[in-house]
Amino acid sequence: MSARPTSKPRARRQISEARPYHHGDLRRVLIDAALQLASEGAEVSVREAARRAAVSPGAPFRHFPNRDALMAAAAGEAQRRFRTEIEAALAEAPAADPLLRFRAFGLAYLRWAMRNPAHFEIISTGRYFAHGSSAELTRDNAELIALTEQMLADAAAQGLLRSADLKGIQIAGRALVYGFARMNLDGHFPRWGVEEGEIERMAEAVIDLFIAGIAKR
Amino acid sequence: MSARPTSKPRARRQISEARPYHHGDLRRVLIDAALQLASEGAEVSVREAARRAAVSPGAPFRHFPNRDALMAAAAGEAQRRFRTEIEAALAEAPAADPLLRFRAFGLAYLRWAMRNPAHFEIISTGRYFAHGSSAELTRDNAELIALTEQMLADAAAQGLLRSADLKGIQIAGRALVYGFARMNLDGHFPRWGVEEGEIERMAEAVIDLFIAGIAKR
DNA sequence: CCCAAATGTAATCAATGATTACATAAAGAG
DNA sequence: CTCTTTATGTAATCATTGATTACATTTGGG
């Protein structure tokens, strides 16, 4: 799947021409263009992606059956980056304290969402493609959720939690970070956008407030 | 073009003809059509709204300079209904207990959002129109926020809160309900959609969990 | 009564998602 | 190496949509 049989360029006609007939890896370039467009705040259109790839308007449809499929692929790529960042943060968090790990998860989540709002929107919104359409994305997301469930279960086992309603805590936690991230990209933090660090500090405060709320003391 | 219509029925011109040249109140009808379309899950297009109003595709632009303006007007209408419901709920809540009022606010918020997801999206998303474009909507929203701030301030004054970080609590509360509402309409509650009451019960549980988290005990 | 403003229609444009017929490059069989 | 097959890109085209412009009709004030 991943390894293309990198063939040796036997016919090197493309060097002489400014634009060879066959694009190197159009699929990847289109995905990157879509992510790029999204992060510029622009409408993501198939044609504009094709334009950026210097390719005809119909070419993308050789790689994606429709616009949604392109967006789903872009979402998959974004999700992969998101997950990488989460896991990196968890790798640095102390293995012993589930609540600290929970906190690290939430911080990494919000930090990525603050810094890549358009990518976060593509992943989360279900507006670009039907959410069930990408099995990979669904599975990937389910694994992240399972991670947090495990942390909460560990915390409960260690007697760190005030309430036994783990499901409720988990939903509330998800809603909290999701809501904060979406409020940011939906423009509900009007004046905070100016100073960059302010919003991330607020995110940290909100997460700490939540953890303090669920922790036994 | 033989018989001229009757002399001067000031307000009742549309009764005789099947479709009079002038629509009764096209502006209102277009707004309703837009809301109707949204709640059907369809794409809201100016043309479709015009189609539903049995009017030419260009007619809406006599009432709204562009699509965004129509959506902003629809959002204004939706927000009015939202606020009406919130205030009705607050009117029934006990005046003395700020935390109970806070809870009633959250419940009414989520209940409305669960039952009118498309309307909630139009209000919140900033995707149909620039959020600052409708001063009325901005002011209206600010007043609702001020309401919750007042409740929290009252609660703090009565010594009901565990933390003194009112701003943090307020943002967290907003993020919580906003996130829950958006998770619902973004399709993050996959299997819950089937049974109607389940999701509202979960909403209540989440709100209670939050209130328990911020309350002194 | 008449005219000006408001409001609707018809025609038209540019952009977009999508499809189809055709062109060209790449890969493999012989 | 040559020939065929398949993957991939182009060109042309279509329907839909937001938007604009010229024109038509109604309404209401002077």
Side-chain angles (χ1 to χ4, degrees):
Chain A
M1 308 303 171
S2 57
R4 232 170 15 110
T6 53
S7 59
K8 26 191 191 262
R10 241 189 357 206
R12 325 208 326 158
R13 277 245 272 287
Q14 60 231 35
I15 293 190
S16 56
E17 286 287 335
R19 213 183 63 174
Y21 193 91
H22 275 73
H23 202 289
D25 186 358
L26 183 54
R27 184 187 162 87
R28 157 65 53 173
V29 172
L30 288 171
I31 291 175
D32 286 346
L35 286 176
Q36 184 65 30
L37 281 171
S39 61
E40 289 170 10
E43 287 292 311
V44 184
S45 74
V46 177
R47 289 180 108 93
E48 183 59 28
R51 219 168 278 135
R52 300 231 170 164
V55 98
S56 82
F61 292 92
R62 289 289 179 191
H63 297 270
F64 305 98
N66 50 41
R67 189 195 116 111
D68 280 10
L70 167 59
M71 297 310 302
E77 174 62 26
Q79 168 105 347
R80 214 165 296 122
R81 300 183 192 172
F82 175 57
R83 183 169 177 172
T84 299
E85 188 138 323
I86 296 273
E87 284 169 349
L90 284 184
E92 291 185 9
D97 188 334
L99 280 187
L100 270 186
R101 292 182 69 77
F102 194 70
R103 178 177 187 275
F105 187 109
L107 282 181
Y109 181 118
L110 281 190
R111 219 180 53 140
W112 192 83
M114 298 300 109
R115 298 185 178 178
N116 308 276
H119 293 187
F120 183 83
E121 179 172 32
I122 291 182
I123 294 179
S124 61
T125 270
R127 138 184 167 202
Y128 300 109
F129 62 100
H131 254 190
S133 72
S134 167
E136 183 207 355
L137 205 145
T138 301
R139 179 185 47 72
D140 217 72
N141 200 39
E143 289 177 12
L144 286 182
I145 293 175
L147 264 181
T148 68
E149 283 171 340
Q150 187 57 54
M151 294 175 199
L152 288 178
D154 292 347
Q158 298 184 23
L160 298 175
L161 296 183
R162 179 181 57 75
S163 158
D165 179 14
L166 294 193
K167 192 69 190 168
I169 293 176
Q170 205 249 349
I171 296 289
R174 277 178 73 190
L176 187 77
V177 289
Y178 189 70
F180 195 95
R182 284 221 60 98
M183 281 178 73
N184 178 52
L185 66 83
D186 287 344
H188 285 86
F189 292 152
R191 59 189 177 287
W192 298 2
V194 278
E195 200 201 332
E196 183 54 35
E198 179 66 17
I199 200 166
E200 292 193 15
R201 264 196 303 279
M202 201 68 214
E204 186 171 348
V206 161
I207 287 182
D208 284 338
L209 204 141
F210 181 79
I211 301 222
I214 65 172
K216 175 172 288 177
R217 51 190 168 259
Chain B
M1 309 310 179
S2 51
R4 217 172 18 166
T6 54
S7 52
K8 38 188 179 284
R10 270 215 310 239
R12 317 291 309 274
R13 53 211 182 283
Q14 66 248 37
I15 47 174
S16 54
E17 287 287 332
R19 212 184 66 173
Y21 193 92
H22 277 72
H23 202 290
D25 186 358
L26 184 54
R27 184 187 161 87
R28 156 66 53 171
V29 172
L30 288 171
I31 291 176
D32 287 345
L35 287 176
Q36 185 66 29
L37 282 171
S39 61
E40 289 170 13
E43 287 291 311
V44 184
S45 75
V46 178
R47 289 181 108 92
E48 182 60 28
R51 220 168 277 136
R52 301 230 170 167
V55 101
S56 82
F61 292 92
R62 290 287 177 194
H63 297 270
F64 306 98
N66 51 39
R67 188 194 117 110
D68 279 11
L70 167 58
M71 296 311 301
E77 174 62 26
Q79 167 106 349
R80 216 165 295 122
R81 300 182 192 174
F82 176 58
R83 182 168 179 173
T84 299
E85 188 139 322
I86 297 272
E87 284 171 347
L90 284 184
E92 291 184 8
D97 188 334
L99 281 187
L100 270 186
R101 292 181 69 75
F102 194 70
R103 178 178 186 275
F105 187 108
L107 281 181
Y109 182 117
L110 282 190
R111 219 180 53 139
W112 191 84
M114 297 300 109
R115 299 185 178 177
N116 309 276
H119 293 188
F120 183 83
E121 178 171 34
I122 292 182
I123 295 179
S124 61
T125 271
R127 137 185 168 203
Y128 300 108
F129 63 99
H131 253 190
S133 72
S134 168
E136 182 206 357
L137 205 144
T138 301
R139 180 185 47 71
D140 217 71
N141 201 41
E143 289 178 12
L144 286 181
I145 293 175
L147 264 181
T148 69
E149 283 171 340
Q150 188 55 54
M151 293 175 200
L152 288 179
D154 291 346
Q158 298 183 23
L160 299 175
L161 297 184
R162 179 182 56 77
S163 158
D165 178 13
L166 294 192
K167 193 70 189 167
I169 294 177
Q170 205 249 347
I171 296 288
R174 276 177 73 190
L176 187 76
V177 289
Y178 190 70
F180 195 94
R182 285 221 61 98
M183 282 178 73
N184 177 53
L185 66 85
D186 287 344
H188 285 87
F189 292 152
R191 60 188 176 286
W192 298 1
V194 276
E195 199 201 332
E196 183 53 37
E198 178 65 18
I199 201 167
E200 293 194 14
R201 265 196 303 278
M202 200 70 213
E204 186 172 348
V206 161
I207 287 181
D208 284 337
L209 204 143
F210 181 79
I211 301 221
I214 64 172
K216 174 171 290 180
R217 51 191 170 260

